[in-house]
Amino acid sequence: MSASADDAPLAGQQAPVLLVVGGDPADVAITAAALEHRFAPDYRVRTAGSAAAALADLDRLGPAGEQVALIAADLHLPDGDGVDLLVQAAARYRGLARVLLFDMDIHHTRIPFTELPALQRASALGQIDAWMVKGWVNSEEWFYPLVQEALSAWSRAHRPSHVVYRVVGEQWDPVCHDLRDGLTVNGVPFTFHLPDSDDGRRLLRDHGVDEVRLPAVIRHDGTVLHQPSLTELATSHGVQVHPTADDYDLVVLGAGPAGLAAGVYGASEGLRTLLLEERSIGGQAGTSSMIRNYLGFPRGISGGELAHRAWQQATLLGAEFAFTHSVTGLATDGARQVLTLDDGRQVAARAVILAGGVTYRRLGIPELDQLVGAGVFYGAAGVTAPAVVGEEVHVVGGANSAGQAALHLARYAARATLLVRGTSLTAGMSDYLIRQIEATPNITVRLRTQVVGGRGTARLEGLTLRDAERRITEEVPSAAVFVMIGAEPRTDWLAPVLALDERGFVLTDRDLASTDWPLTREPYPFETNRPGVFAAGDIRHGSAKRVAGAVGEGSVAVGFVHRYLAEPAPVPPLRMDHSAASTTAV
């Protein structure tokens, strides 16, 4: 049975709360009954007839130790706006799922066109997680999937039921951070404990952990790994770290959006496909907290979720993955491309797609380079965000990744300051992110500002900023800085064999100089100066640097791989040797 907002919270009750708010008691009762039918007893459903009653109920639940997983509120309430209520509720309960409910309009459509401006604004500003038009007869089809998705996201963040590893180590130890980051970006469930915490001391004692050799990783079966490398951890987790064969039809380097798309299409179209990934599924895109403009996901999707869906899809279609090793060499052996791995192993393929993506450019400030992993991070907030609750943090960069990181950090930090070298955000950031940033009160944007120094011993304590607008240099406190400036491809190992631009990006098809191309035919789209070797995604010169663009390039490149594999053995161009009155093949 639903509890009204006027009831006192039940002490000791552990089931999280789902709160339904609306002005029509009969309408609210229908929604509450639908939720109870599907989600009780795992969740308790409560109702409120107004914004004031809902906020009063939330204020009583918190001090009583109750968890609130979801609030579903009508857009129009007797005493206010439903969106405003959802914003205030989210400020009280971090990670609360927010659902905006609409009355079915005269058109009886899935999108409430009569209320479309309000929905567009709330969605663009990130004020809601989902929305629903009430009145659809089949709850199984429309209502339950939406709520289940929201509750699944809340459960993953607030009460993971399955933990594979327990990590014991120091919060600001770079080695420990790298370990936890590797687990996080690959979606492996784990908990983290400081060695001087109650749980940390118990784990050290119960499992005989050598405290001198932290961080330690305790497996679900009790096995202890002291200071493990990512390769050791992957092997422990049953992850494949070596190719199972020596020869493939297609080898894809990188499991970011472009590589995953190539893996899906390569495997689905009958090619024996191997993906080699050094660190994590999804690449930089996999660390994005929320992608709102990817086709087909109107409510948005996290980069990690998108990447893991693609990984599962590629795996089920037959693609093979091998993790934790980098590629150090590319050579030709007849009609095969031969790749050398960092452990000396070699793997051959009839065709190769380079989809290794890019890395963020370093600041090049010595005092900050010494604190990488200890308050200085290159990439998204991810595993570090919960450690900066109530702190001042900074994000350096003006592109989408920086904006997403600032919004994610703002859920934890007292203030997140976005440092942008340019004069505006519009040059590199999507409009929907700019609008969300402007609407987030604890995000500050500082334009024409650069980091020129920093300070800290065991961890970052502050930054030195140069403000070109005010022509001043100042010291500011900072618990963490996340740097997302520019993009650098790691292609030094390719320089001896492939044509690169001045920044190291791989040149393909029309961007190749005629002197770099060895065959009589024109290079295929995405083909490098080495026939049979293609490049897709961020690593390629002239790419769009967007997730959708990378996915498109990776999938389309496979089509041209097929064309390459179907052609006869390449015929070298003819060179006329006029002095000998003969023709020579080169």
Side-chain angles (χ1 to χ4, degrees):
M1 178 177 292
S2 300
S4 74
D6 295 325
D7 294 332
L10 301 176
Q13 196 135 29
Q14 297 301 312
V17 170
L18 312 180
L19 179 60
V20 181
V21 188
D24 184 339
D27 191 39
V28 169
I30 291 173
T31 303
L35 288 174
E36 284 188 329
H37 173 73
R38 173 54 59 92
F39 298 105
D42 296 321
Y43 296 89
R44 289 181 298 125
V45 180
R46 297 175 65 88
T47 63
S50 66
L55 291 173
D57 199 26
L58 292 173
D59 288 339
R60 283 194 292 266
L61 291 170
E66 302 280 0
Q67 291 181 303
V68 181
L70 177 145
I71 178 170
D74 284 352
L75 173 63
H76 301 293
L77 297 172
D79 57 347
D81 181 90
V83 177
D84 291 339
L85 170 61
L86 295 179
V87 171
Q88 294 180 65
R92 288 165 165 79
Y93 293 85
R94 184 179 294 118
L96 172 80
R98 303 158 297 172
V99 180
L100 187 61
L101 301 176
F102 295 88
D103 291 321
M104 185 176 290
D105 64 15
I106 59 173
H107 306 292
H108 282 228
T109 54
R110 297 188 198 180
I111 295 179
F113 290 110
T114 55
E115 303 284 8
L116 187 56
L119 175 57
Q120 288 175 327
R121 175 177 172 78
S123 179
L125 297 182
Q127 295 170 324
I128 61 175
D129 299 303
W131 52 271
M132 180 71 193
V133 175
K134 298 178 293 182
W136 292 98
V137 174
N138 190 347
S139 296
E140 299 282 350
E141 186 176 358
W142 303 115
F143 188 48
Y144 292 149
L146 180 149
V147 175
Q148 183 60 67
E149 183 178 350
L151 291 179
S152 294
W154 182 86
S155 294
R156 284 194 298 270
H158 294 274
R159 54 172 194 179
S161 58
H162 178 64
V163 175
V164 180
Y165 299 106
R166 291 172 174 81
V167 180
V168 182
E170 298 293 346
Q171 177 69 61
W172 301 105
D173 173 21
V175 175
C176 186
H177 171 268
D178 187 63
L179 187 66
R180 290 181 289 130
D181 183 67
L183 291 170
T184 299
V185 297
N186 285 293
V188 180
F190 75 97
T191 57
F192 172 60
H193 309 276
L194 296 173
D196 58 354
S197 66
D198 290 341
D199 286 337
R201 284 191 290 267
R202 177 181 56 79
L203 289 169
L204 294 176
R205 180 186 66 250
D206 292 350
H207 295 277
V209 176
D210 184 353
E211 296 185 46
V212 179
R213 300 167 61 200
L214 298 180
V217 176
I218 303 168
R219 282 170 39 108
H220 55 87
D221 62 0
T223 302
V224 179
L225 303 173
H226 290 95
Q227 299 176 338
S229 67
L230 288 179
T231 300
E232 292 169 335
L233 193 58
T235 302
S236 165
H237 196 53
V239 172
Q240 184 173 313
V241 296
H242 298 299
T244 60
D246 297 325
D247 202 9
Y248 295 83
D249 294 322
L250 173 63
V251 171
V252 181
L253 272 61
L260 290 168
V264 167
Y265 280 88
S268 67
E269 294 174 9
L271 298 178
R272 187 175 189 187
T273 303
L274 169 69
L275 282 84
L276 297 171
E277 170 55 48
E278 182 178 358
R279 183 169 178 83
S280 63
I281 298 169
Q284 287 187 3
T287 66
S288 296
S289 57
M290 181 60 65
I291 301 172
R292 299 295 297 272
N293 60 351
Y294 191 78
L295 184 67
F297 293 90
R299 299 183 182 91
I301 185 170
S302 73
E305 178 66 18
L306 182 65
H308 278 79
R309 290 187 186 189
W311 165 69
Q312 293 178 35
Q313 187 177 17
T315 299
L316 294 175
L317 287 168
E320 179 182 331
F321 287 78
F323 291 96
T324 75
H325 290 289
S326 61
V327 179
T328 60
L330 172 64
T332 300
D333 182 8
R336 291 288 194 268
Q337 308 295 335
V338 179
L339 299 162
T340 301
L341 307 186
D342 57 4
D343 63 354
R345 295 171 184 253
Q346 290 187 327
V347 60
R350 298 168 64 198
V352 169
I353 294 179
L354 304 172
V358 294
T359 57
Y360 291 113
R361 191 169 65 245
R362 295 287 176 130
L363 288 172
I365 301 171
E367 56 266 39
L368 294 181
D369 288 343
Q370 297 174 3
L371 295 172
V372 172
V376 179
F377 307 100
Y378 288 88
V383 69
T384 309
V388 296
V389 172
E391 305 262 23
E392 295 275 343
V393 300
H394 293 77
V395 179
V396 183
N400 279 4
S401 54
Q404 290 163 348
L407 288 166
H408 181 63
L409 287 163
R411 298 167 56 190
Y412 299 88
R415 179 164 300 279
T417 300
L418 192 59
L419 305 174
V420 183
R421 184 174 60 180
T423 58
S424 73
L425 290 176
T426 56
M429 192 176 294
S430 296
D431 179 69
Y432 79 91
L433 281 173
I434 296 174
R435 293 172 65 186
Q436 282 185 255
I437 288 169
E438 290 174 345
T440 305
N442 65 329
I443 294 181
T444 299
V445 178
R446 294 189 57 169
L447 303 174
R448 299 189 65 189
T449 303
Q450 292 179 267
V451 178
V452 295
R455 65 184 185 279
T457 51
R459 57 170 289 194
L460 181 70
E461 298 173 6
L463 298 172
T464 305
L465 306 181
R466 178 178 296 145
D467 189 322
E469 184 74 29
R470 295 184 292 165
R471 297 183 179 181
I472 62 170
T473 299
E474 60 180 312
E475 301 285 333
V476 297
S478 183
V481 59
F482 301 86
V483 184
M484 302 176 183
I485 53 171
E488 293 181 335
R490 293 189 296 171
T491 53
D492 291 347
W493 64 278
L494 288 170
V497 292
L498 293 187
L500 310 175
D501 69 11
E502 66 280 359
R503 297 175 58 196
F505 290 93
V506 179
L507 295 171
T508 59
D509 51 86
R510 295 181 179 181
D511 293 317
L512 291 170
S514 58
T515 54
D516 289 332
W517 180 246
L519 302 183
T520 53
R521 70 164 173 84
E522 292 295 313
Y524 294 125
F526 307 110
E527 194 169 21
T528 70
N529 63 300
R530 173 165 288 191
V533 178
F534 298 78
D538 289 357
I539 197 173
R540 190 181 68 83
H541 170 84
S543 64
K545 306 298 186 290
R546 286 289 190 269
V547 174
V551 169
E553 290 193 8
S555 57
V556 173
V558 173
F560 293 104
V561 166
H562 280 289
R563 290 183 61 176
Y564 168 78
L565 295 178
E567 68 185 22
V571 178
L574 298 181
R575 182 180 67 196
M576 296 301 297
D577 185 349
H578 296 287
S579 62
S582 64
T583 302
T584 304
V586 294

